[in-house]
Amino acid sequence: MDNLATIVGKNLANLRKTKGLTQSELASLIHYSDKSISKWELGYALPSVDILMDFCSFYGVTLDYLVSEKTEEEAKEALTPKEQKGDPNRPIIMGMTVMVAIIIAMCIFFSSYFIPMGGKKPDLDWSVFMWTVPCTLFVLTLETHFFYHSGLWTTILASSSMWTLILSFAFFFQFVKQPPESIWYILFVGIPLQIIFILAKNIKKRS
């Protein structure tokens, strides 16, 4: 019987190939170096338990699966149901997140009208819906990261959350605040933040 490192290496290689990923693509998704992945797949070293659990989470398999001898066909069978169907609850939860955010925004929006201050009903504040957008995108970013482990989509959603938050500040000071104040220069803050997001996406974990 092959040693454990070789068995785990073969299973990792089969799972990666079945998923249609190169070692470099996998490295960018799970944030380990492609050299480490190559070393593990060739059986030159055995990943630690926490690293194996990262692979289990990414591929949707158990730890027992990784340490038991498996064929390429078994790897395909392990991934196919997940790839074809996915978890139906994940998009439902994300859709519910958007709906809850809208409900909260509507409650805040109408509360100022139905609960007047000083006996006078104020004008409805539409800006609450503007602030809802970056907050909702932020929560969706977290859900995408934990549900799908997609570095690309996590970065896209995080960037969208950041830019809409900055735009919300600019719009608020320009069109809502009295007296109005132009702070469009705040958009320049988003440039270094965007660079940080891109660099963070490419950080590699140490093996």
Side-chain angles (χ1 to χ4, degrees):
M1 179 178 177
D2 293 336
N3 63 50
L4 185 59
T6 302
I7 293 173
V8 171
K10 288 181 178 178
N11 290 333
L12 291 176
N14 287 339
L15 288 169
R16 175 181 58 78
K17 293 173 183 177
T18 301
K19 206 171 176 68
L21 297 171
T22 65
Q23 290 182 344
S24 297
E25 291 171 339
L26 177 60
S28 66
L29 290 173
I30 64 174
H31 306 297
Y32 289 108
S33 69
D34 53 354
K35 292 182 180 179
S36 295
I37 292 174
S38 176
K39 179 176 62 177
W40 295 328
E41 290 187 357
L42 291 172
Y44 294 159
L46 181 66
S48 61
V49 174
D50 59 324
I51 295 176
L52 287 175
M53 292 307 297
D54 285 341
F55 279 113
C56 290
S57 177
F58 179 78
Y59 288 121
V61 298
T62 64
L63 184 59
D64 180 67
Y65 180 95
L66 289 181
V67 299
S68 304
E69 290 187 278
K70 296 289 186 297
T71 64
E72 289 188 31
E73 187 62 30
E74 288 174 310
K76 184 177 181 180
E77 291 176 357
L79 289 181
T80 298
K82 180 182 177 182
E83 294 297 313
Q84 289 181 344
K85 299 179 181 178
D87 185 346
N89 292 325
R90 293 175 179 178
I92 292 175
I93 292 173
M94 296 179 76
M96 290 173 61
T97 297
V98 176
M99 292 300 103
V100 169
I102 293 175
I103 291 172
I104 293 175
M106 292 178 68
C107 290
I108 297 174
F109 175 73
F110 288 112
S111 65
S112 62
Y113 182 79
F114 290 106
I115 307 176
M117 300 298 293
K120 180 182 178 180
K121 292 185 177 180
D123 294 332
L124 296 178
D125 185 7
W126 292 93
S127 65
V128 65
F129 294 105
M130 175 181 67
W131 296 108
T132 301
V133 175
C135 294
T136 304
L137 286 172
F138 176 73
V139 177
L140 291 176
T141 299
L142 297 178
E143 292 177 342
T144 299
H145 174 72
F146 289 110
F147 287 166
Y148 298 104
H149 307 284
S150 173
L152 176 61
W153 279 106
T154 299
T155 302
I156 291 174
L157 287 170
S159 300
S160 300
S161 176
M162 180 266 295
W163 283 111
T164 52
L165 179 62
I166 294 175
L167 283 171
S168 295
F169 273 105
F171 274 106
F172 179 82
F173 278 86
Q174 181 72 47
F175 301 108
V176 180
K177 184 177 179 294
Q178 295 299 329
E181 183 179 349
S182 179
I183 62 166
W184 292 101
Y185 52 83
I186 196 175
L187 294 175
F188 289 105
V189 177
I191 298 176
L193 288 175
Q194 183 67 73
I195 294 174
I196 290 174
F197 287 162
I198 295 174
L199 293 176
K201 177 182 178 295
N202 293 282
I203 290 178
K204 308 291 185 183
K205 292 182 182 179
R206 296 180 64 183
S207 60

